Amino acid sequence: MLIMKFGGTSVGSAERLQGVFALLKDAQDKKQSIVVVLSAMSGMTNSLIEGAQKAVKRDLKGALQIAAAIGDNHVQAIESLFVKSDTSMQLLREIQNHMQELEVLYKGVSYLGELTKRSMDAVSGMGELMSSKIMAAYCQSHGLNAKWMDARQFVVTDDHFGKANPLWDKLTPKTRETLLPILEKGTIVITQGFIGATEEGASTTLGRGGSDFSASIFGVALEADEIQIWTDVDGMMTADPRVVKDAVVLPEVSFQEASELAYFGAKVLHPMTIAPAVEKNIPVRILNTMAPDRQGTIIKESTKPKGIVSAIASKKGIVAFFITTPRMLMTHGFLVRIFEIFEKHETSIDLIATSEVSISITVDRLDTISAIAADLAHYGQVKVVRDVAIVTVVGEQFRDQSGIAGQIFDAMRKTNILMISGGASDINMSFVVSDDQADNAVQQLHQAFFAKTAAVK
Ligand code: ASP
Ligand code: MG
């Protein structure tokens, strides 16, 4: 069984959708069982959220304009994909129903002047429902045996609206009992990424970019042979090609390396995607919808040895906290209290480095910085540095190699390093540098580790 997840651009234009259709047809001809997981059409989730934000600021007119634009976008997609027929009329009615529901939600939010995370989820998940309906109708009207299914019937989550967690004990049996009988008949299931529902039936979302995570959830629940993430790039690369011209695609990446890289290349793969797949040892393949014949990247448990360094990644726009206090010396429980502050503000910590009297922490959430800094101030001197970047060197078994650190530092000799963290996962060494030095650091590191291998080849 295959899980095939397609991003928002795959549904937007007739050409793209035909491409997806060809892939599905090919897979069905090969008698593969397929679950198709879809994102919203590009930009729609952002618009849905923007409308809600206008509504809560009592700009109902602005919100309704956005709703109208969202409706138009879908109507245009339908008109470009279908000749006028019962199917297209039915689809247009469904889009109209969604738009009416959206207007009611926006009005409610606007009258109450309150936008709960729960209402936001009801709004932001709508794009997936619409894109998947369009895709399912297109497939059916072109002779594919496919069925549209509402993911909220089986993706059971907790009620952490905005970033809900799968409730596996409920989700797995429900997904299996709902989808397996359909799949066994050779029917393709077309469903939504990103959304789920609580046991009581309230709509939830898995967090921005969560459709990849959905694909992995389906893969695990249904024990798929492979999870395919179809996107608009060729796969995971040795570095961001916008930063490093001669970056190349990595044909194979281990689960561990991918987890490190996913955080940085969130555009390629949502970081949560790997964890469930690891547990069931299901390979995840990244493929390009625009160039389906390219091999892409396969992420699996063990891979052929690549070289010591497999990729260089970076992430800008993060924040570093530096906490210094003599009270840390010889006391126990200090770190716990520091971490509790981050927990209280629901902010996840990315990198940590400590000494006897200081601790450095990076996060990528910006809206909680001041609140965290205020709480941290009870424990010592706090310095907050914004606009910094993490630069990471990912490779296999650094600990078994000598001289790697020397090579890395040599490549970074012109960079001002604010913080270093490494070794925890055996395959990663990370640095915090200022945003404006990050690209250069990545280029130097890439040059140091990849230009050499290229020369040897
Ligand atoms: N449509 C959702 C978002 O834009 C989920 C996804 O595309 O993965 O965040
Ligand atoms: Mg995405």
Side-chain angles (χ1 to χ4, degrees), residues 325-379:
T325 170
R327 279 164 60 194
M328 196 169 152
L329 202 65
M330 316 288 254
T331 38
H332 54 81
F334 185 79
L335 285 180
V336 173
R337 291 195 287 278
I338 296 289
F339 291 157
E340 267 166 5
I341 293 173
F342 288 84
E343 161 69 15
K344 176 178 149 201
H345 297 286
E346 297 190 356
T347 301
S348 82
I349 293 174
D350 297 321
L351 291 190
I352 307 170
T354 69
S355 77
E356 284 294 349
V357 292
S358 72
I359 169 160
S360 321
I361 288 173
T362 71
V363 303
D364 59 12
R365 185 168 170 180
L366 306 182
D367 57 336
T368 52
I369 301 172
S370 336
I372 290 174
D375 283 352
L376 287 174
H378 299 301
Y379 293 95

Side-chain angles (χ1 to χ4, degrees), residues 86-332:
D86 289 349
T87 310
S88 71
M89 297 309 282
Q90 172 65 23
L91 263 181
L92 289 172
R93 272 195 298 277
E94 297 209 30
I95 299 298
Q96 214 173 21
N97 290 342
H98 280 299
M99 286 308 108
Q100 272 166 6
E101 192 191 333
L102 184 61
E103 283 176 17
V104 170
L105 285 165
Y106 282 170
K107 280 180 188 157
V109 166
S110 168
Y111 290 142
L112 293 171
E114 186 189 48
L115 177 59
T116 60
K117 285 188 175 169
R118 183 181 172 132
S119 319
M120 186 59 115
D121 274 1
V123 167
S124 65
M126 229 178 244
E128 271 69 12
L129 290 168
M130 294 191 281
S131 66
S132 59
K133 281 182 182 167
I134 297 175
M135 172 77 95
Y138 185 90
C139 289
Q140 287 155 356
S141 62
H142 287 78
L144 262 196
N145 179 7
K147 192 169 163 60
W148 181 85
M149 296 296 290
D150 187 336
R152 294 170 301 180
Q153 284 174 3
F154 36 88
V155 179
V156 188
T157 70
D158 63 10
D159 61 359
H160 202 113
F161 294 101
K163 207 175 191 326
N165 304 293
L167 293 180
W168 291 102
D169 291 354
K170 310 263 167 16
L171 181 152
T172 304
K174 245 193 160 155
T175 304
R176 296 182 72 85
E177 86 203 17
T178 319
L179 300 187
L180 287 178
I182 303 170
L183 293 164
E184 271 154 21
K185 284 192 213 131
T187 307
I188 295 179
V189 168
I190 298 185
T191 190
Q192 307 78 39
F194 186 48
I195 61 171
T198 63
E199 277 182 273
E200 291 74 36
S203 297
T204 55
T205 67
L206 304 174
R208 293 306 308 271
S211 291
D212 296 347
F213 184 33
S214 298
S216 161
I217 291 174
F218 288 123
V220 169
L222 296 166
E223 298 181 5
D225 300 304
E226 189 171 294
I227 298 161
Q228 297 185 342
I229 308 289
W230 288 86
T231 170
D232 47 13
V233 295
D234 283 340
M236 287 196 159
M237 304 189 74
T238 51
D240 183 338
R242 287 165 304 183
V243 178
V244 177
K245 275 196 313 303
D246 45 2
V248 293
V249 173
L250 292 159
E252 283 193 353
V253 172
S254 70
F255 280 135
Q256 233 194 334
E257 289 171 321
S259 317
E260 300 278 2
L261 290 172
Y263 171 76
F264 297 95
K267 295 231 166 51
V268 182
L269 194 67
H270 188 274
M272 298 274 278
T273 316
I274 306 294
V278 173
E279 220 160 288
K280 291 265 166 161
N281 193 10
I282 303 172
V284 178
R285 199 184 287 274
I286 301 172
L287 292 152
N288 189 344
T289 327
M290 289 186 287
D293 295 332
R294 297 202 184 137
Q295 64 171 342
T297 297
I298 183 148
I299 305 163
K300 53 187 189 169
E301 193 169 22
S302 56
T303 56
K304 287 187 220 106
K306 281 188 276 291
I308 300 159
V309 169
S310 37
I312 320 284
S314 67
K315 188 174 171 111
K316 291 186 190 172
I318 60 160
V319 181
F321 293 90
F322 298 94
I323 306 124
T324 315
T325 170
R327 279 164 60 194
M328 196 169 152
L329 202 65
M330 316 288 254
T331 38
H332 54 81

